[in-house]
Amino acid sequence: MSSTLQLTQDLIRRDSITPRDEGCQELLIARLEDIGFTVERMPFGEVSNFWAHRGHGAPLLCFAGHTDVVPTGPLEQWHNPPFEAQIRNEHLFGRGAADMKASLAAFVTACERFVAEQPDHCGRIAFLITSDEEGVATDGSVRVVDALEARGEQIDYCIVGEPTSAQQFGDTIKNGRRGSLSGTLLVHGIQGHIAYPQLAKNPIHLVAPALSKLAAEVWDHGNDYFPPTSWQVSNIHAGTGATNVIPGSCEIKFNFRFSTEHTAETLKDRVHEILDQHGLAYELHWQLSGNPFITEPGALTDAISEAINEVCAVRTELSTTGGTSDGRFIKRIARELVEFGPINASIHKLNECVAVADLEPLSRIYQQTLHKLLR
C-alpha cells in the first residue's frame, strides 16, 4: 500500500463534516513536524486551522486545502459506509475522497520525499489548512489570511488541492475563478382579494418586467480568461398558498457569477438602476461570496503543467470554470495561485471516490512542482 493511499484512508475515516475537523489536522501536523515544519495552530470559533512552514527565504510555495467535508446524504444509498474508506473496483470510496483528502495526503507525502532528497532546499514550503471551506467559510482561510496579511506575510506560489480534473486525471488546472454575488430582493405590493385586483397591487406582476430586463441584460462578453457574466434567479416565493389571495410581497433570490470585467459594485449599481426604472417598492440585500481572481500564465502554471506532463504524459488546460474556492481569499496575499487535484466527477455525490491509481501520480506532480520552483 502506498503512503499516499494509506494517509488518504486515515483521513477519510475521520468524519469531519463541516466545520468539524475530527483530528485530521493533528494527523497532518504530526507528519509535518517529523520533517521539520514549524506549526502554528490558528483556531477561530469552532473552526480548526493551521499555518505550517519550513525553510528560509524566498520563494514561498504554499499548499492550501480543507479537512472538512460536506454531509453524506442518505447513508442507505451508499454502497459502503462513507467513512470506512473501502477500496472497490480500483477506487477508494468515502466522503471527502476526492474533495479533498486525497490532495491533502498527496501534499504531505510529496513534501516528505522532497525534504528527504533536499533537506536544505531553497526557499520555504508552507501549509494553510482549514476546516471551514464547505460551510459558511467565515472562520477558516479568510481569517488565517487576515492574520498573515497583518504581519506582512506574502506567498509567491500557492497550490490549492481542489479536485480540478474533468475527464482524465491531469487534464485541467484552475488558474482563476469567477466571482459570486447573491441578492435577496423583496418587492412590496398590497395584498387583496383576487376578485378585486383594483384594490390590491400584485408584486409578482410588478416585478415581472424588471426580471425580464435583468434576464435579457448582456452584462459583458467575458475575456480571454472568463466566460460572460451570468445572472440567474434561483428562487421566487410569494403568496399565502390560497388561490384567491393576491400576495402582498414577493421574494426573489438571484446570483451573479461574474468575470473580471465587473466589480460587485458595478453589478449592484446596474441592478438598482433597472429596478428603479420600473418604479418598484423594494428592499435588496446583497451577499458577496468572493471576487473573481486570475493567475496569468507564468512560473507556477508552467511548473505544474510540466510536472503533469512528465508524470502522466497529459497536456493540461487552464480553466476558470466551476464554483468558488478558498483561492478567493488566499489570492489576496498570493502572487500566483492555481488549483489542481483529482477527477471531480463524484464530489459532493453519493459514493464519492478517487481512483487508487491516481494517488501516487498526484503526489509525484506536487513533488515535481516543488523541485521546479524551489531549486
Side-chain angles (χ1 to χ4, degrees), residues 116-188:
E117 295 173 1
Q118 297 194 33
D120 300 317
H121 59 81
C122 297
R124 288 191 294 161
I125 310 169
F127 278 69
L128 194 168
I129 306 298
T130 183
S131 67
D132 185 31
E133 196 271 352
E134 298 289 10
V136 293
T138 56
D139 286 326
S141 296
V142 64
R143 296 289 298 274
V144 177
V145 168
D146 287 343
L148 296 175
E149 188 174 35
R151 64 196 194 202
E153 189 74 75
Q154 290 292 313
I155 296 168
D156 294 290
Y157 310 118
C158 182
I159 301 173
V160 184
E162 289 292 337
T164 59
S165 301
Q167 303 299 320
Q168 179 184 11
F169 174 61
D171 63 6
T172 306
I173 297 168
K174 305 285 187 179
N175 67 320
R177 294 278 189 166
R178 294 174 294 174
S180 178
L181 174 66
S182 296
T184 300
L185 171 66
L186 183 65
V187 179
H188 299 290

Side-chain angles (χ1 to χ4, degrees), residues 25-103:
Q25 291 183 22
E26 291 304 319
L27 182 61
L28 300 175
I29 286 170
R31 300 279 286 259
L32 293 174
E33 287 180 333
D34 282 347
I35 56 172
F37 277 80
T38 298
V39 177
E40 181 180 357
R41 294 169 178 83
M42 303 178 73
F44 294 103
E46 298 179 347
V47 176
S48 299
N49 310 288
F50 76 84
W51 169 254
H53 56 91
R54 185 190 195 281
H56 304 281
L60 169 59
L61 190 156
C62 176
F63 293 108
H66 60 91
T67 55
D68 59 320
V69 300
V70 296
T72 62
L75 293 175
E76 67 277 8
Q77 294 184 31
W78 281 76
H79 296 154
N80 52 262
F83 298 109
E84 284 193 358
Q86 292 186 17
I87 297 173
R88 290 184 296 102
N89 300 323
E90 301 180 343
H91 283 73
L92 172 60
F93 286 81
R95 176 57 82 222
D99 189 12
M100 56 180 290
K101 292 184 174 180
S103 294

Side-chain angles (χ1 to χ4, degrees), residues 213-221 228-229 262:
K213 174 67 173 175
L214 288 164
E217 183 82 358
V218 178
W219 303 94
D220 58 55
H221 297 285
T229 293
H262 274 286

